[in-house]
Amino acid sequence: SDGSTPRVVLLTSWFFWLIFLTATQDIAVDGWALTILSEGNRELQAMCQTVGQTFGYALGFPVFLALNSPEICTKWFGADGALVTPGSFLMLCGMVI
């Protein structure tokens, strides 16, 4: 509505690199799991990866939203406002990862 044209090539290239890096990370995690798991426990690799992805999703979405909500933090934790801001959450994730 503002007369600007969509930048399809830029968007396509960004998503290409995001998917490429995600696939590379998946291959690296598979290789790392084969390296650290013993021969008898290699069948647990898929389960470990699934549990890790589920935990990461839970931490990155619903837990963040709850700790970022002033109403929930006041009701459940007795805080005066939100315990986590988007900036502090990203800083924490950057330090942990």
Side-chain angles (χ1 to χ4, degrees):
S1 66
D2 62 356
S4 65
T5 59
R7 295 165 35 178
V8 175
V9 174
L10 178 65
L11 184 64
T12 302
S13 63
W14 271 108
F15 276 104
F16 170 80
W17 285 110
L18 285 173
I19 292 171
F20 176 78
L21 292 174
T22 302
T24 304
Q25 181 265 344
D26 186 51
I27 293 168
V29 168
D30 289 342
W32 184 43
L34 290 174
T35 304
I36 63 173
L37 291 175
S38 66
E39 189 73 35
N41 291 331
R42 288 206 175 143
E43 66 272 2
L44 300 175
Q45 182 263 338
M47 184 196 65
C48 292
Q49 190 172 4
T50 303
V51 169
Q53 287 175 343
T54 304
F55 180 72
Y57 170 79
L59 183 64
F61 184 63
V63 172
F64 167 71
L65 287 179
L67 295 178
N68 192 36
S69 168
E71 296 84 14
I72 292 176
C73 290
T74 301
K75 179 179 178 181
W76 292 97
F77 303 114
D80 292 332
L83 294 175
V84 176
T85 64
S88 65
F89 182 74
L90 289 176
M91 181 67 75
L92 178 67
C93 287
M95 289 187 311
V96 170
I97 294 173

